[in-house]
Amino acid sequence: MTGLDVSAPPVPRSEEVLTPEALAFVADLDARFHERRDELLAARRTRREEIARTGRLDFLPETADVRAAEWTVAPAPDDLRDRRVEITGPTDPKMAINALNSGARVWLADLEDANTPHWRNVVGGQLTLRDAVRGRLSFTSPEGKQYAVADPAGAPVVLPRPRGWHFDEAHLTAAGRPVVAALVDFGLHFFHNARELLAAGSGPYYYLPKMESHLEARLWDDVFTHAEAALGVPHGSVRATVLIETITAAFEMDEILWELRDHAAGLNAGRWDYLFSIIKNFRDAGPGFTLPDRNAVTMAAPMMTAYSDLLVRTCHRRGAFAIGGMAAFIPSRRDPEVNERAFAKVREDKTREARAGFDGSWVAHPDLVPLCAEVFGEFLGERVNQLDVLRDDVSVTADDLLAVGETPGDRTEAGLRANVRIGMQYLHAWLSGNGAAGIDNLMEDAATAEISRSQVWQWVHNDARLDTGEVVTRDLVERIVEEEHTALGGAVDEDARRLFVDCALGEDFPDFLTLQAYDVLLARGE
């Protein structure tokens, strides 16, 4: 008996990962930690209510001693010491093989924002990772083209990213209750691969998304400690890099590393989700928290510079790696001028990160790997990271992190239309099973839809004025939705259009668009 009920469409080879032993392992994790997860989600709601009441956030007085003390996280394993370029992407076999052949030092194998949680993707991603660990990942396209990992021994180190704490996996239930999705994704991967990875001289390494507090990091640390003991692997085998992609987590970087100190590898700066989190938490704080067009909000904005500088300083003071944000550009095979402009912007962005002391950065496409490696290589020289760059010059206050009103840029009709169009296009792709969608030469994931719909919601509810002089109203957005939907010529189905409108214009603000979208998948039987 596994303690879990599986109610899902059949998936080829699922028996290889959904073994009785693996399901029993996941059931044990869920039984031990589900209630604590629920308590932490309730704490999120309480904190959000406090932000709505005060319009403020600050560093926690009760953890001041953690921030003031001198301590470091556990030293990094050898195969995680050089992270100058990391490629991200979903776990379907073709994309996985391309990532593993890219020349990057790390592949973020995304079970979260770049992955639609169709059951076939949930199980298929685990199969891909299991095959990759064992050096037997291959793929043959419908046209007969064969894909294989060219050099398994020289392939990037793989860091899966499980779903966030907010998500449940409806296809697996314990006594009728859906299992916490993060524990499904982590548990299946750890159970099948931890010993194999350690035997090969590596280890079970992960990216952790959507963290909102150090107490959520403490829960992950307890999960890791229990999982290691249950499988009889050494304590500290797990190493986790945490995405600081919420405004509340930005105020608790030290505390998050402290809670995970035996298992921590670093922190990452994730721009789109960070902006989404600012809007979500301060959505009713007035015009001072109303952002310009999303593409106008660069890392050079004062609040973003404060956030990224604080991340580097915190990480290096604690002996952890600071990983920069995404270069999402997809090179064009037909337009060299587009490529030239985009590559120049990517070079500028990666140079800024390297100069700021980051140890490496993300790219979304293999063609960007050499550029990112070159830029960081120029700063690294003979070093493999920049842990020695302590950034003692950095001093960031709460006001610096919350300086939303100092963000340069305009709110434009073009920006509003882009939010509507790209949000609908991405949701259509997501509902179709593709969580990583190429739109306008950019690789978009769920964070794109979140920032798009949340920015529309914020503009409507704060009477934002566009460059045309028009005030953003529900009527205006509904007209633009209709125009953009028509212009897409049937490329976006009605479910995607309705989802976007409901989440962008509803009176209530859904915490996560993907939870609404997941309900659509379940209604479709997927």
Side-chain angles (χ1 to χ4, degrees):
M1 295 291 290
T2 67
L4 293 185
D5 293 318
V6 182
S7 177
V11 177
R13 297 179 57 201
S14 62
E15 69 280 357
E16 296 179 33
V17 292
L18 302 179
T19 64
E21 297 81 6
L23 290 175
F25 182 76
V26 171
D28 175 58
L29 292 178
D30 192 67
R32 290 175 181 273
F33 299 110
H34 194 123
E35 282 76 16
R36 276 181 62 191
R37 190 288 305 259
D38 289 349
E39 292 168 1
L40 289 169
L41 293 185
R44 287 184 180 183
R45 293 188 288 272
T46 300
R47 193 176 199 183
R48 155 62 197 150
E49 291 167 1
E50 182 181 349
I51 293 170
R53 186 172 61 254
T54 64
R56 288 291 300 173
L57 267 175
D58 209 336
F59 298 96
L60 302 176
E62 61 267 31
T63 54
D65 56 337
V66 172
R67 296 192 298 276
E70 295 301 325
W71 50 268
T72 59
V73 302
D78 288 343
D79 59 345
L80 270 186
R81 292 190 58 77
D82 188 339
R83 302 178 62 172
R84 68 187 67 192
V85 55
E86 304 190 356
I87 191 166
T88 73
T91 52
D92 66 89
K94 179 183 173 182
M95 295 285 279
I97 291 167
N98 288 341
L100 292 169
N101 287 336
S102 69
R105 301 302 176 105
V106 168
W107 170 40
L108 185 158
D110 202 357
L111 302 170
E112 193 228 6
D113 269 5
N115 180 61
T116 301
H118 282 155
W119 184 241
R120 65 178 180 269
N121 288 348
V122 172
V123 174
Q126 294 290 339
L127 288 165
T128 294
L129 294 170
R130 190 172 186 271
D131 288 347
V133 167
R134 289 156 181 77
R136 61 188 190 212
L137 180 61
S138 63
F139 174 71
T140 302
S141 73
E143 298 75 28
K145 184 176 181 180
Q146 296 184 332
Y147 296 79
V149 181
D151 178 17
V157 179
V158 181
L159 273 66
R161 176 166 68 172
R163 283 168 283 181
W165 281 130
H166 63 284
F167 225 105
D168 287 333
E169 176 49 69
H171 300 96
L172 290 178
T173 57
R177 181 181 70 180
V179 174
V180 177
L183 299 178
V184 175
D185 297 340
F186 163 76
L188 289 175
H189 179 267
F190 185 85
F191 181 85
H192 287 295
N193 302 297
R195 295 191 189 96
E196 194 94 12
L197 286 163
L198 289 165
S202 185
Y205 310 144
Y206 300 92
Y207 262 103
L208 301 179
K210 305 291 190 290
M211 202 88 76
E212 295 199 16
S213 79
H214 69 286
L215 298 179
E216 296 179 17
R218 182 182 298 172
L219 176 55
W220 267 121
D221 193 72
D222 289 345
V223 170
F224 296 155
T225 297
H226 173 73
E228 289 165 339
L231 260 62
V233 302
H235 178 74
S237 295
V238 173
R239 293 304 171 91
T241 303
V242 177
L243 290 103
I244 301 299
E245 53 187 353
T246 67
I247 184 65
T248 51
F251 283 86
E252 300 182 35
M253 295 187 205
D254 276 306
E255 294 89 333
I256 286 169
L257 288 174
W258 170 254
E259 296 293 347
L260 284 161
R261 57 195 178 277
D262 290 344
H263 296 111
L267 304 177
N268 167 270
R271 178 166 60 138
W272 284 148
D273 268 317
Y274 189 72
L275 294 176
F276 162 56
S277 172
I278 290 172
I279 295 173
K280 178 165 68 172
N281 280 284
F282 291 94
R283 60 185 180 267
D284 41 20
F289 281 87
T290 303
L291 289 164
D293 289 359
R294 69 183 182 103
N295 286 332
V297 186
T298 70
M299 296 304 290
M303 67 172 185
M304 302 302 286
T305 298
Y307 151 68
S308 60
D309 284 351
L310 179 61
L311 190 146
V312 173
R313 173 179 166 81
T314 303
C315 283
H316 290 178
R317 181 186 178 198
R318 306 308 184 185
F321 299 118
I323 307 300
M326 171 70 77
F329 176 66
I330 304 172
S332 170
R333 305 301 182 194
R334 297 187 296 271
D335 195 334
E337 290 185 11
V338 168
N339 287 348
E340 184 177 357
R341 290 194 300 270
F343 271 74
K345 289 181 180 179
V346 171
R347 179 178 292 278
E348 179 184 359
D349 190 47
K350 299 309 173 190
T351 299
R352 176 193 54 77
E353 289 178 330
R355 184 175 290 119
F358 281 92
D359 300 289
S361 191
W362 284 5
V363 299
H365 194 280
D367 287 357
L368 297 179
V369 168
L371 173 57
C372 186
E374 176 192 338
V375 170
F376 274 88
E378 290 171 357
F379 282 84
L380 289 170
E382 298 300 314
R383 300 173 299 161
V384 293
N385 54 60
Q386 299 200 86
L387 289 178
D388 58 314
V389 179
L390 296 179
R391 293 304 309 270
D392 290 333
D393 59 305
V394 171
S395 178
V396 172
T397 67
D399 286 341
D400 295 330
L401 291 173
L402 297 176
V404 179
E406 297 177 22
T407 304
D410 297 319
R411 289 176 283 277
T412 69
E413 181 181 326
L416 177 58
R417 287 185 177 275
N419 279 336
V420 169
R421 183 182 67 256
I422 294 169
M424 290 192 298
Q425 285 179 289
Y426 179 78
L427 279 171
H428 178 83
W430 194 94
L431 291 171
S432 302
N434 180 18
I439 302 173
D440 297 342
N441 287 111
L442 294 174
M443 185 63 75
E444 307 284 17
D445 66 11
T448 296
E450 293 287 26
I451 183 64
S452 295
R453 64 95 178 184
S454 63
Q455 186 159 65
V456 172
W457 194 98
Q458 183 189 43
W459 287 1
V460 169
H461 285 78
N462 286 277
D463 299 322
R465 190 174 295 275
L466 300 177
D467 59 337
T468 60
E470 281 190 281
V471 173
V472 182
T473 63
R474 182 185 183 94
D475 288 344
L476 174 62
V477 173
E478 287 178 339
R479 174 171 64 80
I480 288 176
V481 166
E482 188 62 33
E483 291 172 357
E484 294 296 328
H485 188 253
T486 300
L488 288 168
V492 169
D493 66 19
E494 183 58 26
D495 280 342
R497 188 200 68 81
R498 178 183 53 79
L499 260 176
F500 182 83
V501 170
D502 288 349
C503 292
L505 292 178
E507 195 57 38
D508 294 328
F509 186 96
D511 280 345
F512 292 99
L513 173 63
T514 46
L515 294 180
Q516 314 288 106
Y518 191 49
D519 289 339
V520 175
L521 293 187
L522 297 177
R524 293 176 175 183
E526 298 176 312

